[in-house]
Amino acid sequence: MIEELLRKRLIFVTGKGGVGKSTIAAALGSLGARRGLKVLLVEVDGKGDVGSMLGLTETSFTPKRAAENLWVMEMDTEAALAEYLRIYVKVPFISKFPGLGKIFDFVSTAAPGVREILVIGKLCYEVRQNTYDLIVVDPPASGHVISQLGVAGDVGQLIQLGLVKNQTEWMLEILADPERSVALLVATPEETPIEEALDLAGRLRAETPVHLEGAVVNRRFVGPMASVETEVVDVIRTFGDSIAGLNEVLAASDLFERICDRHDRNLRLFIDQLGPSLRVATVGEYFGTLEAQELLDEVAEVLEVELW
């Protein structure tokens, strides 16, 4: 049931670029907000896709209200560093320090993982503060999310002392708790995206503490036609040469059937390779022109039925 998923505190919507993970993240956040949850949508890569889909002209590190119960935030690692120093190191007015950007660039270059730990740290901090009922994250595509989700454990192993050790311990507790933090995988039903999604699923399980909860196969062509429809098409074929353009229409119908068959095969492969313990939801391809909010509403309705 969707209620089970929405009881989580932190959901990472992962996948390769171009599969619609931003749309799924925005629809999932909108669904949670409509059910009365206070939701924060976080876009990590800074493209602004999530905010624009929800009607915001711009987003920033300070959350902006997009709808009732729904806020959108754009991750900013320099701002996250300033917030961290203000909260944990007790440095007041640090965000106004003119050299902070240069210091941050130097530190993040000299110490790989700093940017990632700030991103994950900010998300876990919001979970711990209980400011929101649900945080839905649209992270960078594919492999980049692995470095972010795995960084707390990596840093914790490298630095076993002081403030850093204490910080990574509570972050790992949140990330590794499947009742609080999960990943939701998004793919499209084509061969390459399915292969990359399966690879990402393996890496999520092997290299990060975050539990893989399930997957969404997006933009699926649904078919084939019912038997009575097939019979009608067979009759229509007899008029192909006598009606201008009819053969082209029939060829398009045949192509659609082949795409549906291919999507079905790839979906079965994906489900089989992921394993029986994971639920896989499907969202169909939407033809024609829909406004962004209309599309999100349509996808949210499908997720409400399909997910858990």
Side-chain angles (χ1 to χ4, degrees), residues 18-20 23 187-190 217-221 263 283-286:
V19 298
T23 301
T188 53
E190 300 291 346
V217 174
N218 192 28
R219 299 174 185 163
R220 178 193 179 195
F221 282 30
H263 283 191
V283 177
E285 178 69 73
Y286 287 91

Side-chain angles (χ1 to χ4, degrees), residues 1 10 32 75 109 114 118 125 140 155 164 208 225 233 279 288:
M1 299 292 290
L10 184 59
M75 185 59 68
T109 301
V114 168
L118 286 169
Y125 174 77
V155 172
V164 173
T208 81
M225 292 184 290
V233 171
R279 176 71 180 268

Side-chain angles (χ1 to χ4, degrees), residues 4-302:
E4 182 182 343
L5 182 64
L6 295 179
R7 280 197 294 267
K8 311 299 181 184
R9 301 295 311 285
L10 184 59
I11 302 175
F12 296 92
V13 182
T14 65
K16 73 181 292 292
V19 298
K21 65 183 181 65
S22 296
T23 301
I24 298 299
L28 187 59
S30 297
L31 179 58
R34 288 209 300 265
R35 284 173 165 250
L37 299 176
K38 187 176 181 182
V39 180
L40 176 66
L41 270 167
V42 181
E43 186 170 37
V44 175
D45 61 11
K47 293 190 298 183
D49 293 345
V50 170
S52 63
M53 281 188 283
L54 291 164
L56 297 176
T57 56
E58 61 179 18
T59 52
S60 68
F61 188 70
T62 301
K64 293 190 175 181
R65 188 175 183 271
E68 185 176 0
N69 297 325
L70 183 62
W71 284 260
V72 179
M73 187 192 90
E74 181 180 315
M75 185 59 68
D76 181 330
T77 46
E78 186 176 321
L81 174 61
E83 183 178 80
Y84 174 85
L85 293 174
R86 186 177 66 253
I87 295 172
Y88 294 106
V89 189
K90 309 300 181 184
V91 180
F93 311 113
I94 187 66
S95 60
K96 298 180 181 179
F97 183 64
L100 181 63
K102 292 181 180 179
I103 293 173
F104 174 70
D105 289 338
F106 172 78
V107 172
S108 61
T109 301
V114 168
R115 292 181 184 273
E116 289 81 3
I117 203 74
L118 286 169
V119 170
I120 296 302
K122 170 61 175 175
L123 298 171
C124 291
Y125 174 77
E126 292 296 340
V127 171
R128 193 166 72 163
Q129 289 296 106
N130 287 317
T131 310
Y132 301 93
D133 301 310
L134 172 65
I135 300 172
V136 180
V137 186
D138 181 20
S142 293
H144 296 293
V145 73
I146 299 297
S147 62
Q148 288 184 342
L149 294 181
V151 70
D154 295 340
V155 172
Q157 290 176 3
L158 287 172
I159 307 175
Q160 291 291 319
L161 49 85
L163 183 62
V164 173
K165 180 177 184 294
N166 293 334
Q167 294 299 316
T168 56
E169 282 181 348
W170 68 259
M171 288 167 55
L172 279 171
E173 287 179 3
I174 292 174
L175 293 173
D177 181 0
E179 295 303 314
R180 287 188 285 181
S181 303
V182 296
L184 185 65
L185 188 62
V186 180
T188 53
E190 300 291 346
E191 285 78 1
T192 299
I194 288 294
E195 290 175 1
E196 293 188 4
L198 289 170
D199 177 70
L200 180 57
R203 294 190 64 191
L204 281 166
R205 288 162 165 163
E207 301 175 33
T208 81
V210 180
H211 172 70
L212 179 59
E213 183 77 2
V216 176
V217 174
N218 192 28
R219 299 174 185 163
R220 178 193 179 195
F221 282 30
V222 181
M225 292 184 290
S227 59
V228 64
E229 294 170 331
T230 302
E231 292 172 3
V232 171
V233 171
D234 289 339
V235 173
I236 292 174
R237 289 185 192 280
T238 63
F239 299 96
D241 294 328
S242 59
I243 301 176
L246 183 57
N247 283 329
E248 287 76 7
V249 172
L250 291 170
S253 175
D254 292 340
L255 175 60
F256 180 79
E257 286 281 319
R258 291 196 295 273
I259 294 175
C260 289
D261 288 342
R262 187 172 71 245
H263 283 191
D264 286 345
R265 289 196 304 272
N266 291 334
L267 178 60
R268 289 194 297 269
L269 171 67
F270 188 55
I271 293 173
D272 180 65
Q273 293 293 317
L274 277 181
S277 63
L278 291 186
R279 176 71 180 268
V280 178
T282 61
V283 177
E285 178 69 73
Y286 287 91
F287 298 98
T289 302
L290 287 176
E291 296 292 333
Q293 188 59 58
E294 292 177 320
L295 176 61
L296 290 183
D297 290 342
E298 292 283 348
V299 174
E301 287 183 10
V302 174

